[in-house]
Amino acid sequence: MKKAFVGYSDEDKKELFSKFYITSFAPLSAEVMEALNKPLVWGSMLDIEHMTALESEGYMDVETGFCVDTDGSTMVAVKTPMPNISPKMWNWWFGWHGSQDSRYKLWHPAAHLSAKWEDGRSDNGYIGRNSIIKEYIGENLLNASIQFKSPLAFGFSNAALNQKEKVVYICAELGHPTLPVNYGYLIHQVRKTTNGAEMRSRFWVGGKYVSLRKEGKIAEAVTAFLKTIKSLPQNFGHDLLKHCSEEMSHLATFLPQLYKEFFDENQLIISGLTHSKDESDFEKIMFGLLYNKQHFGRVPDIIAEPKTVEDVIAIIRYANKVGKRVTVLSGGRSFSANAMRNDVIVISMQNFKHYTLNVEAMTATAEPGLGGADLMKVLYKNDLFFPTGHCEGVCIGGYLLQGGYGWNGRKLGIACKSVLGLDIVTASGELVHANATQNTDLYWAARGAGAGFFGVVVRFYLQLYTLPKYQAIIAHDFSIKYLEDVYYWAYEVGPSVPKTVEFQMMMNRNMMNLLGPGIEAFAPIFANTRDEFEEAKQFMENSPIKQKALIRTPAFNPGINVFYKATMEHYPANYNYGVDNMWTHASIDELLPYIKEIAETLPPAPSHFLWLNWYPDPLDTDMAYSKEDNIYMALYSCWKNQEDTPHYTNWASDMVRRMQHYSSGIQLADEGLHKRSDKFLSDDNFHKLQAIRADRDPQGLFMEWHSHRF
């Protein structure tokens, strides 16, 4: 490894930007010189928790100066005028310079030694990434990890992301490059002025700002100890102020020309990964994001994996600029692979998995790439509950947008009813919050539009519930020879099944991979009281056909992990899937001939037919979601080998098409809109949704559903 040093090597001088190797510095301003000569009293500058005041018009009492507390805590402020500079130039610079020592030295050739990205990549995004740098601050060599964060993480408003033509905030935590120790923070605000821009830099380092990059009691104890022994050089605040003024003023003299020559306006610049269809491993990457391994023959141009909200905004603005349409993917569990279209940019939200809990308020925030099962398991530990999806791997993004049929859903209602708000990047590339009082059109549309939503949700705000005290499941397994008995019983008992039960039946050709063709009847129970629990069991315990069951279980609580594991037996990974569904209120006499035909034509297990007694209460929430009925019927063919695709891929859609005259619509989850159209919203809600789309996405940036019938 070559040794880092101050100045430019012969190799450095071969770089295309070597003409900007300027080693002379302009004199420091009178304001900076005055500040260097006289430290301020501690408390005369605003501390880190008040730094959102930078968003206010005007100036603070101290714009240039430094102060040091008795414990070594140090604050530094520097204001640097920058004629002919725009905020977006600095936003580009912080990504561009970090991959090469020679680029980093442009900034301060007398003090900067080296810079590299911790992830080893050399592309241009910076937020959400760590820059490992070496530089001199005065006479002291500093080795640091600059951990760039979103301004949102520092408490700044959405405007800090939306108005980058006017203002840019560069925010970071400062720490040791190898040890899990942080020792401060920095914020650079670059805001537009009448003749260019000005940079307002703030640093908080040492003393009370020292912490471990871990949480817990041990970390707290170690942090307290570190603060007692961690001290910066006595003149660090003075030297940092001088260094910052020098480097910012120096680079500002040639940044406009550097930006003009090296900024590529046709390049998508994000901190996350991007994949082009021209890459040799693109198909592997694409199918790595999809649960259904069936080859649909649709190939997007780009798959982008944003790491930050800023990345999402950049992708949307890039797509608008180059005239590309976009689709969004959270967990890849759309069986029709809705996000995979030709000539689009796919925004994969798989990196957005963070969540927060407010146990007392019974609320949570959750990002779209978070698995519902992962959220549920965390909630269980806190005696809380949310109607997450039944399958592991289903992420909440697509799940909540399409409605959300989940655990205890008959009692709590469709999951999107429990969405209190959303953070959304719109088709214009603006981050907004939507709830019952602001951006109400987006709030209405996001709860039910599914894959046809015209925005990228980056965070959900959820209403939580108390964990039901009584949880259990009862199962009765029947041979296929009792098909008529089972479905007549299910139909007749359906309206009276308590809301605490999500009664469903699975038909397949090999129950439990052992018992051959049959029907498994399940009654998951989530009850709050003993009386509710006892009532919930009655319809199974008093079933007139239970004696015909091959297997009968009592009510028992296997735990949420077993609930998920049992469900996943029917939806194995690395299979090809062909699916379709329908809502209906048809009579059992009307449906039974088709159910028999399903039994006769059902592909080999784990293919199956799901019957769900839903019997919903009237919808009391005004939202896009608006289509449900008494009975939900869903068909799933699944097969391992691609060569079997012609035999099984159309079975579900063809079968549902035969009984479509009994359909009252579909749910946007396990549908096959790429093969068969049906209604998924009421007529009025569909037309309202499309009117909002025309207003919010007039250029049609976001792809709609595969197809629809209205």
Side-chain angles (χ1 to χ4, degrees):
M1 179 181 292
K2 66 178 182 180
K3 185 176 180 180
F5 63 93
V6 172
Y8 300 109
S9 67
D10 290 339
E11 285 298 312
D12 291 338
K13 293 173 183 177
K14 297 177 182 178
E15 296 286 358
L16 294 176
F17 48 82
S18 61
K19 65 181 178 182
F20 299 107
Y21 292 165
I22 303 168
T23 56
S24 60
F25 288 78
L28 296 173
S29 69
E31 182 182 15
V32 171
M33 291 299 297
E34 181 181 355
L36 290 171
N37 290 330
K38 186 178 181 182
L40 299 171
V41 176
W42 185 261
S44 58
M45 299 169 62
L46 291 181
D47 216 331
I48 179 70
E49 61 265 25
H50 302 296
M51 271 306 103
T52 54
L54 283 167
E55 291 195 80
S56 303
E57 297 289 335
Y59 297 95
M60 297 179 180
D61 292 340
V62 176
E63 289 289 336
T64 299
F66 73 98
C67 58
V68 182
D69 200 4
T70 54
D71 67 350
S73 302
T74 302
M75 297 189 207
V76 176
V78 187
K79 180 166 69 72
T80 308
M82 296 181 173
N84 304 314
I85 296 287
S86 68
K88 65 181 181 180
M89 293 179 187
W90 276 98
N91 193 55
W92 165 80
W93 164 259
F94 271 93
W96 184 81
H97 81 268
S99 60
Q100 266 182 261
D101 296 354
S102 51
R103 295 182 183 182
Y104 191 54
K105 292 177 181 182
L106 287 171
W107 207 351
H108 199 311
H112 287 186
L113 279 73
S114 65
K116 64 179 181 180
W117 292 112
E118 188 176 52
D119 57 23
R121 291 163 48 201
S122 60
D123 42 14
N124 297 339
Y126 68 96
I127 298 175
R129 300 175 72 191
N130 299 337
S131 177
I132 308 301
I133 60 100
K134 289 184 180 181
E135 64 180 31
Y136 283 98
I137 304 296
E139 298 297 321
N140 298 287
L141 180 61
L142 179 69
N143 296 308
S145 167
I146 304 178
Q147 304 146 50
F148 290 105
K149 308 294 183 181
S150 169
L152 299 177
F154 276 50
F156 289 101
S157 71
N158 290 353
L161 278 62
N162 293 336
Q163 301 178 10
K164 289 192 174 180
E165 295 296 321
K166 297 180 179 179
V167 62
V168 165
Y169 295 84
I170 296 97
C171 303
E173 295 181 14
L174 308 173
H176 194 278
T178 57
L179 300 176
V181 179
N182 281 349
Y183 48 76
Y185 308 87
L186 70 79
I187 298 174
H188 301 298
Q189 181 205 54
V190 185
R191 65 181 181 182
K192 188 176 181 179
T193 61
T194 55
N195 67 337
E198 61 184 2
M199 177 176 282
R200 302 163 74 198
S201 300
R202 300 291 188 273
F203 301 87
W204 301 265
V205 291
K208 68 177 183 178
Y209 306 111
V210 176
S211 64
L212 282 187
R213 292 197 287 268
K214 294 181 179 179
E215 297 179 353
K217 292 184 178 180
I218 295 178
E220 291 174 3
V222 174
T223 297
F225 174 71
L226 284 171
K227 289 178 179 178
T228 65
I229 64 171
K230 176 70 176 178
S231 61
L232 296 167
Q234 187 174 7
N235 59 342
F236 189 82
H238 170 280
D239 292 345
L240 180 58
L241 191 157
K242 180 174 182 290
H243 178 96
C244 180
S245 180
E246 287 174 343
E247 69 180 359
M248 300 307 180
S249 299
H250 180 66
L251 183 58
T253 61
F254 58 84
L255 182 57
Q257 188 61 33
L258 184 75
Y259 178 82
K260 181 179 179 180
E261 292 189 25
F262 291 95
F263 171 65
D264 182 357
E265 63 181 10
N266 294 316
Q267 181 183 9
L268 174 57
I269 299 176
I270 63 172
S271 298
L273 298 175
T274 59
H275 312 279
S276 169
K277 69 177 181 181
D278 297 328
E279 297 172 13
S280 59
D281 60 348
F282 186 76
E283 183 172 291
K284 180 180 179 181
I285 292 169
M286 180 175 71
F287 280 101
L289 297 173
L290 299 176
Y291 200 75
N292 188 354
K293 302 306 179 183
Q294 184 180 170
H295 291 195
F296 292 95
R298 295 178 250 120
V299 181
D301 286 350
I302 296 172
I303 295 174
E305 301 177 11
K307 292 177 61 177
T308 66
V309 177
E310 287 85 351
D311 280 356
V312 176
I313 292 172
I315 295 166
I316 294 298
R317 294 183 178 180
Y318 172 81
N320 277 310
K321 186 171 185 178
V322 301
K324 284 291 181 186
R325 302 185 74 184
V326 300
T327 60
V328 187
L329 178 148
S330 294
R333 290 299 292 261
S334 166
F335 286 112
S336 63
N338 188 83
M340 298 305 168
R341 309 288 190 92
N342 294 322
D343 306 318
V344 302
I345 299 173
V346 177
I347 304 176
S348 170
M349 300 298 286
Q350 63 177 343
N351 294 319
F352 283 67
K353 297 180 179 179
H354 298 98
Y355 64 87
T356 65
L357 296 184
N358 187 327
V359 175
E360 291 185 1
M362 295 180 67
T363 59
T365 68
E367 294 180 344
L370 177 66
D374 298 325
L375 175 62
M376 181 73 97
K377 292 169 186 177
V378 171
L379 294 179
Y380 259 62
K381 294 178 182 178
N382 291 275
D383 292 322
L384 294 170
F385 191 88
F386 187 81
T388 60
H390 301 93
C391 291
E392 290 187 312
V394 172
C395 297
I396 68 169
Y399 172 76
L400 289 175
L401 284 174
Q402 58 87 11
Y405 297 85
W407 299 112
N408 207 19
R410 295 188 67 232
K411 178 75 175 290
L412 299 177
I414 199 75
C416 65
K417 281 183 59 177
S418 298
V419 173
L420 301 174
L422 314 94
D423 291 335
I424 301 168
V425 177
T426 66
S428 62
E430 181 181 13
L431 177 65
V432 301
H433 183 71
N435 59 23
T437 60
Q438 54 186 315
N439 294 299
T440 55
D441 58 336
L442 291 175
Y443 182 54
W444 183 92
R447 293 171 298 155
F453 185 58
F454 31 87
V456 184
V457 180
V458 295
R459 182 176 290 106
F460 293 90
Y461 297 76
L462 307 177
Q463 177 66 64
L464 304 179
Y465 302 91
T466 301
L467 180 66
K469 185 176 181 179
Y470 298 91
Q471 305 157 44
I473 189 169
I474 305 174
H476 291 175
D477 295 351
F478 299 91
S479 167
I480 200 69
K481 68 182 179 180
Y482 295 117
L483 182 150
E484 287 196 20
D485 295 331
V486 171
Y487 284 97
Y488 267 112
W489 165 68
Y491 179 81
E492 291 167 359
V493 79
S496 63
V497 174
K499 295 295 184 182
T500 52
V501 182
E502 189 180 349
F503 177 45
Q504 54 193 283
M505 300 192 302
M506 295 275 193
M507 177 200 295
N508 66 37
R509 289 196 175 277
N510 194 15
M511 289 188 301
M512 303 178 66
N513 298 316
L514 178 67
L515 301 177
I519 304 156
E520 301 173 79
F522 300 104
I525 300 170
F526 292 90
N528 294 322
T529 67
R530 185 72 190 185
D531 288 344
E532 277 188 338
F533 180 60
E534 293 299 329
E535 179 190 19
K537 296 188 296 180
Q538 293 304 307
F539 84 101
M540 290 288 278
E541 292 181 344
N542 297 331
S543 165
I545 63 168
K546 70 176 184 179
Q547 298 302 324
K548 297 180 179 180
L550 293 169
I551 295 176
R552 300 190 303 274
T553 73
F556 70 102
N557 182 7
I560 192 64
N561 289 330
V562 175
F563 274 10
Y564 280 116
K565 184 177 180 179
T567 302
M568 294 309 296
E569 291 291 327
H570 299 281
Y571 305 94
N574 298 313
Y575 271 71
N576 304 281
Y577 283 84
V579 309
D580 207 343
N581 71 72
M582 61 180 259
W583 289 111
T584 187
H585 52 261
S587 71
I588 188 61
D589 290 323
E590 292 170 321
L591 296 174
L592 197 58
Y594 298 97
I595 295 174
K596 290 180 178 179
E597 187 175 351
I598 291 170
E600 292 169 0
T601 61
L602 186 64
S607 301
H608 62 277
F609 163 52
L610 168 67
W611 166 291
L612 172 65
N613 281 59
W614 189 246
Y615 287 89
D617 293 326
L619 285 169
D620 57 0
T621 302
D622 184 20
M623 55 186 176
Y625 176 84
S626 49
K627 183 63 66 175
E628 55 186 15
D629 211 330
N630 294 341
I631 299 168
Y632 176 67
M633 301 168 64
L635 286 73
Y636 305 81
S637 58
C638 43
W639 60 100
K640 193 71 173 176
N641 300 316
Q642 289 291 340
E643 54 265 30
D644 290 329
T645 297
H647 303 293
Y648 302 129
T649 184
N650 294 319
W651 173 78
S653 56
D654 286 349
M655 192 66 241
V656 177
R657 189 177 290 110
R658 287 174 56 76
M659 50 183 173
Q660 186 163 338
H661 52 292
Y662 291 129
S663 169
S664 54
I666 60 171
Q667 65 145 310
L668 287 175
D670 299 351
E671 95 291 328
L673 280 174
H674 60 306
K675 295 187 179 221
R676 185 188 67 86
S677 295
D678 206 345
K679 294 186 177 184
F680 44 83
L681 301 175
S682 69
D683 290 3
D684 288 344
N685 282 24
F686 179 81
H687 295 309
K688 178 178 178 179
L689 182 66
Q690 295 300 70
I692 298 172
R693 179 193 306 281
D695 179 55
R696 288 287 188 167
D697 186 12
Q699 303 304 316
L701 178 76
F702 287 89
M703 296 288 284
E704 297 185 33
W705 314 271
H706 282 294
S707 61
H708 52 78
R709 190 189 71 184
F710 279 91

